[in-house]
Amino acid sequence: MRQVFRGVLLLLLLLIVFPPPANARDQQPPVVRVGTEGTYPPFSFHDPGTQELTGYDIEVVEAIAAKAGWRLEFVETQWDAIFPALDAGRIDLIANQVSRNDERQAKYGLSSTYTHSRGVVVRRTGDDRVKSIADLKGKTTAQSSTSNWAKVARDAGARVEAVEGFAQAAALLTQGRVDAIVNDNIAVLDYLTTTGSKDVEIAGDAGQAGSEQVLALRKTDTALLAQANQAIEALRADGTLRGISEKYFRADVSVRDGGAADLSQGRGQRSTWDVLRSTAWPMFVGLVKVTIPLTALSFAIGLVLALLVALARISPFRVLSGLARAFISVIRGTPLLLQLFIVFYGLPQIGLKFPPFTAAVVAFSLNVAGYAAEVVRSAILSVPRGQFEAAATIGFGYAQALRRIVLPQAARTAVPPLSNTLLSLLKDTSLGSVVLLTELFRESQLAAAESNEFLALYSFAGLYYWVICVALSAAQKRLETRLNRYVIA
Amino acid sequence: MTDIRIEVSGLHKAFGSLEVLRGIGFTTPRGTSTVLLGPSGSGKTTLLRSLNALDIPDSGVVRIDDVSVDFSLLPPGKAGRATARDLRAQSGMVFQSHNLFPHRTVLQNITEGPVVAQKRPPDEVVAEARVLLDQVGLADRADSYPYQLSGGQQQRVGIARALALKPRVVLFDEPTSALDPELVGEVLSVIRDLAAQGWTMVVVTHEIRFAEQVADQVLFLDGGVIVERGTPERVIGDPQEERTRRFLRRVLEHG
């Protein structure tokens, strides 16, 4: 049994370190990985009924793929991670209303325009301080920090509060935490009709002549860009683009001056209960397929690493204990989110690229190792020296003494603090949402962006986490009882 | 040669600037008991722990049966540890604070070494362990955990654990010092039996009366050297050295 367990663990480790090659990526048709927010209705969002990713940009890029003969793989991530993901080669193009501007033109391969729109300034209803883009000077707006709209707002002299998407921005504005939002006319209209909100209104145009939205690719992918442009022109010519646009906006936004978008029909409002009911299952899937495996795997690997680091830390070899000390210090002295970003976005720059799940496992298990190493170390040191000596006198070497005599006793001391580590880890895996992992929390974000039901959805996600934590705490109690059975009550 | 079980010569050991052993030498014939007496800090426990390399002397030679270690030639690292392990395998040890494994039953405490380290057949080891438990009067406590036993019972398990290794010699480090007075007797009586059975033993103790009964040879240590040695009749009954007399007077007043 022990052997089997050890074998499985080894296999898992190997899988983490050497993920199997994505099979035959170069077969026809080529797979194109599309980065999109999935939280930017009506361009990119999840249909509340089917949970499928849909929207204007999604349908456009699907039509392009059909023409160009691509197979699509959608990768959903928040806006501020999209360009880094493109740079790191985790996606091949962005379909998320990327506005054309000079900086992007210089750095990326931008396609032909498939949306013509204009920016608008949104204010709290009746707030006369905000009438036009000129009034933003000295005010605060809420934007995705790397978006073109953020740039427009900054250029107008506004202070930009960074948010993850339009829905969050609208929430901040409604709550009075910011003064205005600069965003796309269509996105704003969609929000207003979908939510029926009377709290915010369009104050006026953002002062630009109009903006053009395009697909963004890596500068070097010239062949892919050529295919995309060819397909877009063909779709424009055969009326497909106009068709998609009219379905969503009752106007043709794929050409300049194609009429004013009309979203008054909206996407339909749903009750909070409906939203929760349709989101409960995807959240559960995120929990079972990502959150729990990520937690379990990271914790198991992290514990093994922690034991090694702890042993290195108490070893008489200076170099070894110094390295262990440095590792612990770095892990505990830097934010987990930063560690995650270093593994996910940083390491690819030196050629170490992991898939999202693997990257998260690497980052989380290293983090667990850093914290648990000190727990394991103090637990080992809490076992009386005489136990080591007694083990030595019955013929045990260091490893045998450790495994059969010291660690089982150290476990008793270590279980309560390690349980804390495990509970923290479970909740910390929500950070996986920023490295393209569709785990529990990310699912709630997706649903919240589409429905604006922040309180209900985040509370519901919290309930899932809490239930798992309660179960883990119960397991901890049982384990402690078991380990205490040979100690005076 | 075969009659001498333990042969120690020129043993030196310092902890930092403190010299604990300063040239110790003695021999123990097979089947005899040697008792180490001396005030605390005299080096007797360090000497005992040198015999199984729990403490590594700086120089000197320890031979037990056919394993001989010259500590001044002990290689560093892995080779040295292996050599120390060879010497350690010659003896069993009974600790002052018994050091039983709290997470193992009485029986498991005894069988752990023979089964896991010596890789002997479990059935055979268990059978032997039950005989040993019977011998120390604990046949009915095989499945108890150490915390369920009295101090004296724990120490008797400790003795059985040492004997189960079938060692050449048994080392006792103040086996009754941590016990309540009324429990001392049962442990000493077990050790007395072992002496009668012909085990070769080295015992560090403060029990002078016990030493008189059980010892074939008494070594009185002070300041890291053997001050006086001989039969208990001579060393305890008629000490020649002032230091020995002073020590005995003090101990006997309390005892």
Side-chain angles (χ1 to χ4, degrees), chain A residues 386-387 389 392 395 404 409 486, chain B residues 49 100-103 112 147:
Chain A
Q387 291 290 315
E389 293 184 346
R404 296 191 60 90
Q409 296 181 59
Y486 52 80
Chain B
R49 291 164 57 89
L100 294 182
F101 307 130
H103 60 302
E112 185 80 7
Y147 80 90

Side-chain angles (χ1 to χ4, degrees), chain A residues 317 385-387 389-398 400 403-406 408-409 485-489, chain B residues 49 52 54 85 88 91-93 95 98-104 112-114 116-119 145 147 161 165:
Chain A
F317 303 106
R385 230 191 114 62
Q387 291 290 315
E389 293 184 346
T393 62
I394 63 166
F396 282 7
Y398 182 67
Q400 264 176 333
R403 199 173 71 236
R404 296 191 60 90
I405 306 299
V406 176
Q409 296 181 59
R485 74 191 184 283
Y486 52 80
V487 180
I488 306 159
Chain B
R49 291 164 57 89
N52 65 357
L54 279 186
R85 236 175 123 171
R88 196 171 294 140
S91 59
M93 187 164 192
F95 295 87
H98 69 74
N99 292 347
L100 294 182
F101 307 130
H103 60 302
R104 297 274 195 257
E112 185 80 7
V116 179
Q118 297 179 343
K119 300 195 178 2
Y145 282 94
Y147 80 90
R161 178 174 71 179
L165 301 163

